[in-house]
DNA sequence: ATGGAAATGAAACTCATTTTCATTTCTATG
DNA sequence: CATAGAAATGAAAATGAGTTTCATTTCCAT
């Protein structure tokens, strides 16, 4: 198993805590850091597993990685500019739990994202 | 410009109103329909432009197409056997609308899936 | 008919992401 | 210190979704 390369995390932070793997890679290259694209992907993957980083998808399907706080939350993403708001999902948690119970499911997880156009777009 | 091929729409309907382009294509092939992958993509694209169909993204980034207006529902998926239950999401709809309004977002859509282990697994 | 516009699909292409595998770097233990 | 095994690394090849190109076919309107 690979562990997350700290330089990747540092770069993601420097990028405003929001970038795709390719962007992180290009950024590191441009700043003269010697690293392989494979390692960038692996590190981001590890950061996701360690729940230090969150993955979302751009409209074109490219994965974007984003530093996130530890409270479990959901996202409100603008389809226009990609701006993201972290939101509480109390209602969702309950809904998920209810639905799961109703159908006899255990060890529940869920995903929920809202997307639309922000006031600026 | 191309127009949407009615057989593609029919197949998407038959698929439960919810499938990726590749799935629609494979389904048509399996059922002996003669069609090219390109046409499937073009037709789905047109259906999206005509707002007959909606696009979402799977977790792996693959685009999935969904009939609009179709009373929209969510899925409860078993991580073990892949069994899927379609569920109502009234609570989610309200939550999404509220959150969006609260942050000044318009033209809202959302995704929400629950996953866990079913009673058999 | 017939000429042009729209539709079609095979194949080549793009591009993000994953896999493979040989090499390098650590690290624990003798 | 030596050194063997484990983990990390990255170049290159592979994968797979989606797009583009272009030659061919199908549709119509005249």
């Amino acid at each position: 198993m690979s562990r997350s390369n700290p330089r990747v995390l540092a770069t993601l932070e420097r990028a405003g805590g929001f970038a795709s793997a390719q962007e992180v890679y290009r950024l590191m290259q441009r700043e003269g850091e010697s690293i392989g694209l494979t390692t960038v992907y692996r590190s981001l993957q590890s950061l996701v597993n360690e729940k230090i980083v969150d993955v979302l998808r751009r409209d074109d399907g490219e994965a974007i990685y984003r530093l996130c706080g530890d409270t479990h939350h959901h996202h409100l993403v603008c389809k226009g500019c990609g701006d993201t708001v972290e939101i509480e999902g109390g209602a969702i948690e309950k809904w998920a739990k209810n639905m799961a119970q109703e159908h006899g499911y255990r060890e529940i997880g869920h995903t929920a994202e809202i997307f639309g156009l922000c006031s600026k777009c």
Side-chain angles (χ1 to χ4, degrees), chain A residues 15 31 46 48 61 66 68 74 78 86 89 97 107 119 121:
Chain A
E31 301 188 353
S46 300
V48 170
R66 183 169 198 286
C68 67
H74 299 273
C78 178
E86 292 188 354
K97 203 168 290 178
E107 292 186 38
S119 46
C121 292

Side-chain angles (χ1 to χ4, degrees), chain A residues 4-24:
Chain A
S4 62
N5 182 318
R7 289 182 299 147
V8 170
L9 178 54
T11 305
L12 184 58
E13 272 170 344
R14 207 175 330 123
F18 194 32
S20 73
Q22 303 280 346
E23 284 164 359
V24 168

